[in-house]
Every structure is written in structure tokens, then in C-alpha cells.
Amino acid sequence: MSRSPGPEELRAQVAEAREKLGETVEELAAKADVKTRAQEKATAARDRARQRAAGARGRAQHKAADARDRAQHKVTDTRDRAQHRVAGARDRATETRHHARDTASHAAQRVQDRVHDKTPEPFWNAAARAAESGRRHPAPLAAAVGGLLAFAAVLAARGGRRNRARATRACWKRS
């Protein structure tokens, strides 16, 4: 037969039942406390958002660093190519300048040789004496050159007046 529990056992069972009932009431109260549950969900959502933002920030920083590295590489590569092209252009310009100088020198030498071949010897002797005289006595040479320039100016002025006079006569004849 089963025996009936004693007062101590009953008290222990009641205390245990009260404890379970208290936990159940606390669980129900927690489920019924909408504000606290909403705050817990908001906190959890905020934590997830912070984690996602941190991950996105890390990825963005990584991509920005990669883009910066690629841009720097392109700048360096472009600068190197430009310097290479400038050096090539400078070399070609120098080469062209030397070629042009050599060509001009050869052409001048050919002209000088032809002039020397075509000019009679007495002219060269007279030109050499005149040059030597000009070096010894520069003042008379300067005066002679000044006189020639003045004479050329007078001739130019007279020629201009004659042409204006002809044009004026031609206009009167047409009228």
C-alpha cells in the first residue's frame, strides 16, 4: 500500500510547486512585457546592424585601398610612358637638328665652292684688300656705308613720288 506523505514531504512538495509556479509566472510576465521584448529585439537588431556596417566598412576600405593602388600604378605607368616618349622626341629632335645643321653646312660649302669657282681671281684680291682696309680704317668704311644707305633712301622716296604722280594723272584722265 502506498503510504500518505507526511507534513514535511507535503511542505517540500508545496515549496517545489511554488518555485515552479514562480518561474512560470516570471516567464509569462516576461512574454507579456512587450516593452522589454521590443527593447531586446531592438538591441539585437542594432548589434546585427553594427556588425554588418563594420563588415561593409572593412570591405569598402579594402576596395578603396585596391582602387588607390591601381590608380597609383596607372599614374606611375603613364608618367613612365610619357617620360619615355619625351626622351624619344628629344632624341629625334636632336638628331633632326644635327642632320639639318650638317645639310645646311654642306649646302653652304657647295655654294661657297661654286661662287669661288665662278668669281675671277682679281675680284677676290680686291675684296681681300677692301676687307683689310676696312679693318684698319673703320670710320671711312662706316661713312661710305652710311652714304650708300642715304642714297638708297632718296631713290626709294623718289620712286614712290613718281608712282603717286602717275597714279594721280591716271585718275584725272579717267574723269
Side-chain angles (χ1 to χ4, degrees):
M1 280 194 83
S2 90
R3 79 178 196 48
S4 60
E8 287 299 318
E9 278 184 52
L10 287 176
R11 280 189 192 121
Q13 287 177 356
V14 169
E16 188 181 327
R18 278 185 185 162
E19 193 176 312
K20 285 184 182 179
L21 183 61
E23 289 175 8
T24 306
V25 168
E26 284 179 15
E27 288 177 11
L28 288 174
K31 286 185 179 181
D33 188 5
V34 176
K35 182 178 179 184
T36 303
R37 288 179 62 200
Q39 287 176 346
E40 289 172 356
K41 285 185 179 182
T43 302
R46 185 174 50 242
D47 291 344
R48 282 192 310 272
R50 283 182 182 161
Q51 288 174 349
R52 288 180 184 161
R57 183 175 38 253
R59 287 189 302 275
Q61 288 173 343
H62 181 68
K63 286 184 179 184
D66 285 349
R68 186 175 42 250
D69 291 345
R70 284 192 309 270
Q72 184 63 37
H73 178 70
K74 285 186 179 187
V75 165
T76 302
D77 187 41
T78 302
R79 184 183 60 231
D80 292 346
R81 282 194 314 242
Q83 288 174 344
H84 180 71
R85 288 181 181 171
V86 165
R90 187 180 303 123
D91 292 345
R92 286 189 300 277
T94 301
E95 194 175 299
T96 302
R97 185 181 71 227
H98 290 299
H99 178 70
R101 185 183 60 209
D102 292 346
T103 302
S105 175
H106 291 301
Q109 186 62 44
R110 284 192 308 267
V111 168
Q112 183 180 359
D113 291 346
R114 289 181 78 191
V115 166
H116 194 274
D117 290 346
K118 301 278 182 185
T119 306
E121 191 65 32
F123 175 80
W124 287 111
N125 295 334
R129 284 192 310 272
E132 183 60 33
S133 175
R135 277 192 287 275
R136 280 192 216 141
H137 310 288
L141 179 63
V145 169
L148 283 174
L149 289 175
F151 180 70
V154 168
L155 285 180
R158 278 187 72 207
R161 272 192 251 131
R162 284 184 193 161
N163 290 337
R164 281 194 300 269
R166 286 184 193 148
T168 304
R169 281 194 298 268
C171 285
W172 283 108
K173 287 183 182 178
R174 284 189 207 140
S175 304

